Amino acid sequence: MHIHAYQHRAGLNCETTCMRNVLAVHGVEFSEEVLLGLDGGFGFGYFERRDNGPDIVIGRQQIFSGQALRLLGVRARSLQGSGAAILLDQLKLERPVIARVDLSELPYWNSHGGAPFGGYFINLVGHDDGQFTVSDAGFPELQTISEDALNRARTSKRSPPINPERWCHVIESVCGTPDLARVGYFAVENCVRDVLKPSIGNLGLPGLKQFAAGVRNWSRTKTGTVKMQLWSDGGVHEVSALACQLQSLGRAIEVFGTGGGLFRPMWSRFLHTFGDLVGDERLLDAARTMTSSAHLWTMLGRNLLEVAPESSQAALDQQLAALVETIDRIYQLERKAMDGLRSIRPLATRVPPAAAHLNTTSNFA
């Protein structure tokens, strides 16, 4: 059993790639940037560990909110349940299943259980002889996974508070054409509000401040050794807790499905394209500021990926000092961008008539 209308394409981010590829089954094309921008989940999250293991940093504040799909006139349904039956029922209806999983439990990633992350998404597009066919944003080819392994990935409790909780999603139909002048501004305004005043203090700009404070304490909290999978040989080794934290942060920024730069390049491109389309300099100003932040995040992530497990304490301390300085600069830039977009509304007299609707031939796709 396989959904023949589905075309696998790798992508920048697991969630936006999954949505893009499933929407294409319905004959609708949107870029990952517009899906990220309209979904409103962009932001920041910091989750501090109580032990000396690596703290969790993410570049989004919501996981599969469904807002982008609603704004684009897409009828979707969320389902919760373990086992294969709930997934097979949808595949029999020729519906790809967007499944939330723990990345570390996907055997074809060869992570050997290291770096658990329960906010990862894959598309299930077929099933044969006890094996699901997987479309994963991180791979150029389709993958397979056994029913048992997939169930472990969907029910994992190894990444609190970001566990998969057995959620999956399907797109049932696409209805109508959205009014970009309305839904674009709505999405930006909601996102900015949530970044400036999030529901909890470890998200958004307050979370970024918490992160800066946490980083300043890492020389005290990330002591001793921890087990970490090294990419050099794929093995799990005892390494310095601080080296593990710095390397893990680099992976979170640049490697784990963020499109690089912790989503900042993707969101700045959304703002730039949207600003051009509706002729709003406020959006373009924010896009330029976020591009500067994106550059800092990217350079930071790449530098941290170079941290070696055998690095001396002096070298780690030097990396830590540079990290603190960079995070402070990033905070100022992102504060400026968000303040510039606070309570943003359409400039009706400047919205070109051709930009009133978003369709599959616009430059958003």
Side-chain angles (χ1 to χ4, degrees):
M1 176 172 55
H2 184 78
I3 301 175
H4 296 288
Y6 185 92
Q7 179 182 356
H8 171 69
R9 287 178 288 170
L12 299 172
N13 166 247
C14 62
E15 188 174 329
T16 54
T17 298
C18 285
M19 287 193 286
R20 180 200 64 189
N21 290 355
V22 175
L23 286 170
V25 173
H26 296 265
V28 180
E29 283 284 349
F30 295 104
S31 70
E32 289 190 66
E33 284 82 359
V34 72
L35 292 171
L36 174 70
L38 293 183
D39 207 46
F42 169 82
F44 185 82
Y46 174 56
F47 301 90
E48 190 172 4
R49 291 275 295 264
R50 294 184 178 180
D51 56 19
N52 66 344
D55 296 346
I56 297 174
V57 171
I58 57 176
R60 302 192 65 168
Q61 292 180 212
Q62 299 181 53
I63 297 178
F64 211 94
S65 71
Q67 177 177 284
L69 298 178
R70 291 191 296 273
L71 293 178
L72 292 172
V74 174
R75 181 178 292 114
R77 189 150 60 101
S78 297
L79 307 166
Q80 189 177 31
S82 57
I86 191 173
L87 309 172
L88 293 173
D89 286 346
Q90 297 303 315
L91 291 178
K92 290 173 184 176
L93 296 173
E94 293 288 308
R95 293 173 179 165
V97 180
I98 303 172
R100 182 171 168 178
V101 295
D102 180 344
L103 175 66
S104 70
E105 295 287 353
L106 300 176
Y108 56 83
W109 271 86
N110 294 317
S111 63
H112 306 285
F117 176 62
Y120 197 73
F121 288 87
I122 56 176
N123 283 342
L124 304 175
V125 298
H127 182 270
D128 185 53
D129 195 25
Q131 298 276 326
F132 281 96
T133 304
V134 177
S135 176
D136 189 314
F139 293 82
E141 305 292 339
L142 291 169
Q143 305 295 314
T144 58
I145 188 171
S146 70
E147 292 181 3
D148 287 343
L150 178 60
N151 196 55
R152 286 194 296 272
R154 296 185 61 231
T155 59
S156 170
K157 300 289 186 183
R158 301 180 59 237
S159 181
I162 309 173
N163 288 321
E165 302 294 351
R166 302 169 290 118
W167 281 109
C168 61
H169 314 271
V170 293
I171 290 176
E172 298 180 332
S173 62
V174 178
C175 314
T177 304
D179 179 349
L180 177 57
R182 179 175 59 85
V183 301
Y185 280 104
F186 175 85
V188 171
E189 184 181 9
N190 277 1
C191 178
V192 170
R193 182 190 62 238
D194 289 344
V195 170
L196 289 172
K197 294 184 178 181
S199 57
I200 55 176
N202 60 326
L203 300 179
L205 285 179
L208 191 54
K209 292 193 78 170
Q210 280 197 20
F211 174 55
V215 168
R216 287 178 167 85
N217 289 328
W218 279 354
S219 59
R220 178 176 55 83
T221 60
K222 306 304 175 185
T223 58
T225 61
V226 296
K227 290 183 178 181
M228 182 183 188
Q229 183 198 20
L230 302 183
W231 288 351
S232 56
D233 62 5
V236 178
H237 301 265
E238 288 279 343
V239 302
S240 156
L242 182 54
C244 177
Q245 174 65 80
L246 295 173
Q247 174 77 213
S248 296
L249 178 58
R251 295 178 184 183
I253 294 169
E254 280 296 295
V255 179
F256 290 152
T258 69
L262 205 69
F263 293 101
R264 271 60 186 165
M266 288 181 69
W267 202 62
S268 63
R269 289 196 296 271
F270 163 72
L271 291 175
H272 188 87
T273 306
F274 181 35
D276 271 344
L277 197 62
V278 298
D280 194 330
E281 191 62 33
R282 298 171 299 175
L283 292 163
L284 297 175
D285 282 344
R288 287 187 284 267
T289 303
M290 288 305 301
T291 297
S292 298
S293 174
H295 176 74
L296 290 177
W297 277 113
T298 298
M299 292 301 100
L300 176 61
R302 291 175 181 176
N303 288 338
L304 293 177
L305 286 174
E306 296 299 319
V307 173
E310 64 275 10
S311 296
S312 67
Q313 187 62 44
L316 294 176
D317 289 342
Q318 186 176 12
Q319 282 279 5
L320 201 54
L323 173 58
V324 168
E325 180 184 353
T326 303
I327 294 301
D328 287 343
R329 292 170 63 194
I330 285 171
Y331 178 86
Q332 296 303 321
L333 286 169
E334 298 197 359
R335 179 82 209 196
K336 176 184 176 183
M338 295 300 165
D339 283 343
L341 294 174
R342 189 192 297 264
S343 301
I344 192 168
R345 294 288 192 278
L347 298 175
T349 58
R350 295 174 58 189
V351 177
H357 292 87
L358 172 64
N359 56 47
T360 57
T361 60
S362 79
N363 63 355
F364 263 77

